[in-house]
Amino acid sequence: TTINDYAFQTCTSLKKVVIPGSVKEMGKRIFDECSGLKEAVLMDGVEYIGHTMFSFCSSLTKVTIPDSVKEIRHSAFAWCSGLKEIELPDSIETMLGGVFSECDSLTSVKLPKNLTVVDDSLFFACDNLTHVEIPKGVKKIERIAFGFCKSLEQITIPDGVTEIVKDAFYACYKLNNVVIPDSVKSIGEM
């Protein structure tokens, strides 16, 4: 089954969506700007969350992601200002840039243990993000991954990370405690 680009874009009265595991192909911006959407349930069998799939869903507060999901594509949840928390299964190996950009209410995230890169702008401008748990499998933290996370006070970089790219923590004004392991070989400007 395929859900094409923009299929439900700006359906502002939509409150809940359940995506069956039979969906194997998803276009971009499927539920983009569905401002009334409160809950999204992806059933077992769904393998990825599409590009800007739920972006600008300002009322989204509950998301169920099954263990079958391996990838979350660019800006999938960007600008979901009502999203306070999200449980990410360890099956996820890839989270592309901007997945949670400007999710103003997001406070805490535990990244999946199979993730190897904290991608570009992953948490850009998440104003209330105070806690991020980075798994030991991560090797690289990309540019502005945590840029403008104004409430982030501390971060522990796990052993195994070898590179922290320039501006990874740009404008994290409250950041006062960073633990960097010996495994880090390259650090850009912080």
Side-chain angles (χ1 to χ4, degrees):
T1 304
T2 300
I3 303 176
N4 291 314
D5 294 355
Y6 314 105
F8 298 95
Q9 186 181 35
T10 63
C11 289
T12 56
S13 295
L14 192 61
K15 301 289 184 223
K16 180 179 179 179
V17 62
V18 178
I19 301 171
S22 60
V23 174
K24 299 302 178 196
E25 294 294 323
M26 287 182 262
K28 62 185 175 208
R29 297 188 177 279
I30 295 171
F31 300 100
D32 180 48
E33 297 183 59
C34 291
S35 58
L37 185 63
K38 294 180 183 296
E39 182 178 2
V41 178
L42 290 84
M43 301 301 289
D44 191 44
V46 173
E47 296 175 358
Y48 68 92
I49 298 173
H51 174 50
T52 55
M53 188 164 175
F54 298 103
S55 61
F56 292 101
C57 291
S58 56
S59 298
L60 188 64
T61 57
K62 185 174 182 185
V63 180
T64 304
I65 303 173
D67 289 336
S68 57
V69 171
K70 304 273 187 264
E71 179 180 3
I72 302 178
R73 297 190 177 164
H74 292 279
S75 303
F77 298 99
W79 303 281
C80 289
S81 56
L83 194 60
K84 292 181 181 178
E85 59 185 12
I86 189 162
E87 188 172 326
L88 300 167
D90 286 331
S91 60
I92 297 171
E93 299 168 354
T94 305
M95 294 172 67
L96 299 175
V99 167
F100 297 107
S101 283
E102 299 194 45
C103 288
D104 296 336
S105 299
L106 194 61
T107 59
S108 180
V109 175
K110 178 182 178 188
L111 292 172
K113 72 177 181 180
N114 289 321
L115 197 66
T116 57
V117 175
V118 179
D119 208 9
D120 182 34
S121 305
L122 193 64
F123 296 101
F124 178 78
C126 289
D127 289 344
N128 291 302
L129 188 65
T130 58
H131 177 77
V132 178
E133 189 174 324
I134 302 173
K136 291 184 178 184
V138 168
K139 303 294 180 210
K140 184 177 185 180
I141 299 174
E142 286 284 2
R143 188 178 158 277
I144 58 174
F146 299 96
F148 290 94
C149 289
K150 297 174 184 175
S151 299
L152 191 62
E153 293 183 13
Q154 62 182 7
I155 192 107
T156 299
I157 310 296
D159 193 36
V161 171
T162 58
E163 184 178 5
I164 301 170
V165 177
K166 178 181 177 181
D167 298 331
F169 296 94
Y170 182 80
C172 290
Y173 302 118
K174 291 186 179 179
L175 190 61
N176 61 45
N177 187 5
V178 179
V179 178
I180 301 171
D182 290 336
S183 62
V184 175
K185 303 299 179 213
S186 173
I187 300 175
E189 296 173 354
M190 283 176 65

